[in-house]
Amino acid sequence: MIRVSIVGATGYTGVELVRLLATHPEVELAAVTSRGERGKPVADIFPSLRGVIDLDYSDPEDAALADSDVVFFATPNGTAMHQAPALLEAGAKVIDLSADYRLRDPAQWEHWYGQQHASPGYLDEAVYGLPEMNRKLIGQTRLVANPGCYPTVVQLGFMPLLENDLVATDSLIADVKSGVSGAGRKLTPATQFCAAAESFSAYAAAGHRHLPEIKHGLSAMTGDTVGLVFVPHLLPIIRGIHATLYARLKDPGTDLHELYARRYAREQFVDVLPQGAHPDTASVKGSNSCRIAVFQPQGGATAVVLAVEDNLVKGAAGQAIQNMNILFGLPEATGLTQIALWP
């Protein structure tokens, strides 16, 4: 059995990790931590886990995290970079769901996240945990930087086009909408029910901190620096991300559907829909799937890709477990075969 600890197991992503790992056949949950809820039973805070999890929350300073085979950090940005190095040197593997190790350049990270990086020497070692792109490298590392929710859906949507040099890389557009859970449990004026319900708005149009992560990943696919306009939006739903992606085709005669179907034919968690179908967020709710459809409106020179995912599963906790399975040589879908919730 794999001994697993979760640091920060009270946020939406953290409790999603608990939910998924609780039924993973190869996992023993050794510790779940929370400074604010230490000493309290997990099931008292999250009644949905009653009868499934009998652990109490522990303080991360008191938990024997180094005795774990793998430690997940479901913490705010700026936490894992302080604690991960000691765990790595003690022999544990680390999967960080925050942004602490996603960017290679510490100066760039500090610009977007507003603080000095505490362990920049580990940035080059960290492997970016998008399995569909870095599966082999993930299996060889001890430190996985789990991708963000927006970057996951955007990169999977553009990947076949960029890998095959089919589009102009200076004019990519990502118009992406997320449910309110993507903002986390911390209450803000914009995410209160009265503000988010019955409304729809863009935010961070001048520059979102996921932008450098997305551009870095897309550039790695094509070998060129990409030009990307990325505009996120807040949807009045709890879970789900919908991305509408635009790219200018070099050869309008390419069969885009066949290209996508071939690229993802062996990927268990990327589902290319039949021609003419439109994916919706409800179809992936609670699952680790990313569903994709590709269009070429009026046979013109623009490719339009539609991609959906559950931001808490494929966009966070589910993908982290997918990475854990790769790290420990397990079948990739172990513990991740949940069917999407409907309705």
Side-chain angles (χ1 to χ4, degrees), residues 10 34-41 45 56-58 185:
T10 53
S34 168
R35 286 189 172 87
E37 306 294 351
R38 61 185 180 274
K40 298 178 183 178
I45 308 301
D56 295 345
Y57 283 109
S58 57
R185 288 186 70 195

Side-chain angles (χ1 to χ4, degrees), residues 116-130:
Q116 186 174 357
H117 203 286
S119 52
Y122 289 82
L123 292 174
D124 284 338
E125 178 182 346
V127 172
Y128 190 65
L130 190 65

Side-chain angles (χ1 to χ4, degrees), residues 136-311:
K136 184 177 180 180
L137 292 175
I138 293 166
Q140 299 170 348
T141 193
R142 59 177 183 167
L143 173 58
V144 175
N146 208 62
C149 51
Y150 283 135
T152 295
V153 73
V154 173
Q155 290 177 86
L156 290 176
F158 276 130
M159 188 180 294
L161 297 173
L162 294 179
E163 288 179 337
N164 291 279
D165 192 27
L166 294 178
V167 295
T169 58
D170 62 348
S171 55
L172 303 176
I173 297 174
D175 178 7
V176 193
K177 293 92 172 173
S178 175
V180 181
S181 62
R185 288 186 70 195
K186 184 179 180 181
L187 187 63
T188 66
T191 58
Q192 293 184 59
F193 178 80
C194 289
E198 304 294 332
S199 184
F200 173 54
S201 61
Y203 66 98
H208 188 280
R209 59 189 182 183
H210 280 173
L211 179 62
E213 178 186 344
I214 298 172
K215 291 182 69 174
H216 184 271
L218 298 180
S219 297
M221 296 173 196
T222 185
D224 295 325
T225 301
V226 302
L228 175 71
V229 174
F230 167 55
V231 182
H233 301 71
L234 184 66
L235 284 173
I237 62 175
I238 296 172
R239 291 172 179 252
I241 286 182
H242 186 295
T244 304
L245 312 175
Y246 303 89
R248 185 160 42 88
L249 291 163
K250 294 180 180 179
D251 178 10
T254 302
D255 185 336
L256 297 182
H257 183 268
E258 193 276 335
L259 172 77
Y260 274 72
R262 184 176 67 248
R263 172 60 178 85
Y264 290 124
R266 297 186 178 181
E267 294 294 348
Q268 293 170 277
F269 296 115
V270 182
D271 177 23
V272 178
L273 297 182
Q275 286 183 308
H278 294 69
D280 61 90
T281 58
S283 73
V284 294
K285 185 177 180 180
S287 80
N288 198 51
S289 293
C290 175
R291 290 209 159 99
I292 294 177
V294 60
F295 293 85
Q296 191 176 344
Q298 295 81 53
T302 301
V304 178
V305 183
L306 309 178
V308 297
E309 69 179 13
D310 185 323
N311 54 291

